[in-house]
């Protein structure tokens, strides 16, 4: 089954810790901007998906800061979801540059413990599990548009992530297998990074292997 549609996220915040996100919306929600540096937060669409192709573009429209941008899929609650998180540069607090795919399965839910775990590149017991990371640890660049393509087939535990700049493939996860989550909502994610723009968010219900 194939059905392609543009994602129009509703104005629902799934905050990791209590902090009001500052987002603006253009084109009936098809373009989303995070205006301020904030605690970790997610903006979700309404629809639950099983097998899905999820595509979108993000652009960091500032030279300020070097932290986390990404998206979520198979979101079931603010304690249980898959997270694709990309940091520009490393730091002395456990954050590392590069793209990571994590399973968030938090025993505490939104809390300082979860916020610290999301920052940390390593596995954190009772909070996050690292499923895959880009061995090249390439950080994103300011004012460059990046396009992601994600395919998730929950019935066979299949996840594949690709990232592009223009037509150039820069990150490919290969085939990642994990059966933890069997579908859910989609959304965008940021943590301590301002002036992020997500746009051209598109889904296609497709249960065929690539």
């Amino acid at each position: 089954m194939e059905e392609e549609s543009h994602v129009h996220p509703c104005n629902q915040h799934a905050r990791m810790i209590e902090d009001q996100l500052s987002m603006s919306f253009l084109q009936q929600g098809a373009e989303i901007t995070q205006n301020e540096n904030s605690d970790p937060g997610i903006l979700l669409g309404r629809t639950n998906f099983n097998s899905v192709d999820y595509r979108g573009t993000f652009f960091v429209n500032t030279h300020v800061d070097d932290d986390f941008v990404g998206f979520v899929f198979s979101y079931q609650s603010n304690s249980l979801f898959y997270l694709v998180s990309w940091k520009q540069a490393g730091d002395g607090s456990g954050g590392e540059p590069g793209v990571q795919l994590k399973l968030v399965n938090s025993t505490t839910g939104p809390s300082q413990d979860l916020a610290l775990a999301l920052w940390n590149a390593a596995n954190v017991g009772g909070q996050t599990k690292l499923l895959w990371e880009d061995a090249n640890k390439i950080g994103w660049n300011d004012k460059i548009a990046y396009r992601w393509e994600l395919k998730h087939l929950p019935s066979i535990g299949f996840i594949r992530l690709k990232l592009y700049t223009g037509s150039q493939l820069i990150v490919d996860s290969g085939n990642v297998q994990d059966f933890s989550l069997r579908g859910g909502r989609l959304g965008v994610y940021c943590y301590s990074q301002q002036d992020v723009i997500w746009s051209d968010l598109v889904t296609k219900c497709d249960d065929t292997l690539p």
Side-chain angles (χ1 to χ4, degrees):
M1 174 184 175
E2 296 190 11
E3 180 182 354
E4 186 166 299
S5 63
H6 288 264
V7 178
H8 298 283
C10 59
N11 190 14
Q12 295 188 40
H13 296 163
R15 297 187 298 278
M16 297 296 97
I17 58 180
E18 292 301 317
D19 180 70
Q20 182 64 41
L21 296 175
S22 175
M23 289 191 171
S24 58
F25 304 87
L26 297 173
Q27 301 178 40
Q28 297 181 323
E31 181 174 302
I32 308 161
T33 301
Q34 165 68 351
N35 301 299
E36 298 178 2
N37 186 303
S38 75
D39 289 320
I42 297 167
L43 187 74
L44 292 166
R46 295 184 178 92
T47 305
N48 283 286
F49 291 87
N50 189 357
S51 297
V52 67
D53 293 353
Y54 181 30
R55 306 195 305 270
T57 298
F58 82 84
F59 181 91
V60 179
N61 192 29
T62 182
H63 296 293
V64 176
D65 223 337
D66 56 9
D67 290 322
F68 299 93
V69 181
F71 61 92
V72 301
F73 61 103
S74 278
Y75 180 97
Q76 298 183 11
S77 73
N78 57 17
S79 300
L80 190 60
F81 53 92
Y82 288 122
L83 169 66
V84 173
S85 181
W86 194 1
K87 197 173 189 304
Q88 185 184 53
D91 56 53
S93 302
E96 294 182 1
V99 183
Q100 294 192 318
L101 169 63
K102 294 182 176 183
L103 168 67
V104 176
N105 187 1
S106 173
T107 57
T108 64
S111 62
Q112 191 65 24
D113 286 344
L114 179 52
L116 291 171
L118 293 172
W119 192 281
N120 199 311
N123 292 328
V124 178
Q127 300 290 348
T128 58
K129 178 181 178 182
L130 180 63
L131 301 178
W132 172 85
E133 64 179 347
D134 178 20
N136 295 319
K137 296 188 179 296
I138 299 169
W140 50 263
N141 287 316
D142 306 320
K143 297 183 178 289
I144 297 290
Y146 293 96
R147 179 80 175 161
W148 78 78
E149 295 182 358
L150 174 87
K151 189 173 192 70
H152 185 209
L153 302 175
S155 63
I156 59 172
F158 179 92
I159 302 170
R160 181 92 180 251
L161 169 69
K162 296 180 180 180
L163 278 161
Y164 297 85
T165 53
S167 61
Q168 181 183 4
L169 177 66
I170 59 170
V171 172
D172 185 347
S173 70
N175 298 343
V176 179
Q177 190 168 58
D178 188 78
F179 288 92
S180 301
L181 304 180
R182 298 302 182 99
R185 296 161 73 185
L186 306 173
V188 297
Y189 167 84
C190 63
Y191 187 0
S192 188
Q193 183 59 54
Q194 65 198 62
D195 296 320
V196 183
I197 302 170
W198 298 267
S199 61
D200 196 21
L201 305 177
V202 177
T203 63
K204 181 172 71 172
C205 296
D206 184 1
D207 57 6
T208 59
L209 280 168

